Amino acid sequence: MPSYLPDEDVWRYAPAPVARGWRRLAVVGPLVAVLVAVGAVGVALQARSQDTRGTLDDPRVTRMVAQACGIMTSAVAQVRVDGPARLRGAQLADQNLEVRRMIDRVRTLSPAVRRADRPLEAWLTDWETLLAAREQYARQVSGGFRGDFRPPTAADGSGLEQRMDRAAQGTCQVPATLVDPFAYQDVSV
């Protein structure tokens, strides 16, 4: 009995014709897709490593700054500068101690994290400049000096605290009492 199927494959068909454009697309398409993916990853890594100029924006930094600044701001607000000269000097020194503690807390961040958010070191330096001026003023007030506190200024003549506020944008504002120790009384000494 003859087999049902013939010995040769009679159902073999010639391959469908493929236009040259589709062949090129099949070869070039994946290459283009790989290049686009590599480019997107490169742009994402570049954007991630780039720091917004002049502002603290690394979440690790802003979290620490917000926490340390909140503690400092609360503590400074509780110390009102009033009374005899020695007491005022001591009260200024207490406020200064809180600022020093804030700076020291922020400096506990690893050096790599601090370097990654470029304005952080300059921002901390501005705080230290303000602190040094306040420490000198506290010593003068303790000795009976009755003049106004003159906060340091930036190189462009603007208030240092304005530059510090811009850099920390909502994360840490310089309390008014650090710039004007007698702001509570609304009078100058």
Side-chain angles (χ1 to χ4, degrees), residues 157-167 174:
S158 65
L160 197 62
E161 73 279 0
Q162 294 167 349
R163 181 169 70 187
M164 293 159 60
D165 287 346
R166 274 193 313 270
V174 178

Side-chain angles (χ1 to χ4, degrees), residues 80-82 148 176-177 180-189:
R80 293 183 183 248
V81 181
D82 193 18
D148 291 333
T177 190
D180 181 5
F182 304 102
Y184 294 113
Q185 301 170 2
D186 202 30
V187 295
S188 60
V189 175

Side-chain angles (χ1 to χ4, degrees), residues 10 13 29 42 92 100 111 118 143:
V10 290
Y13 299 100
L92 288 166
R100 170 57 56 204
R118 283 182 279 172

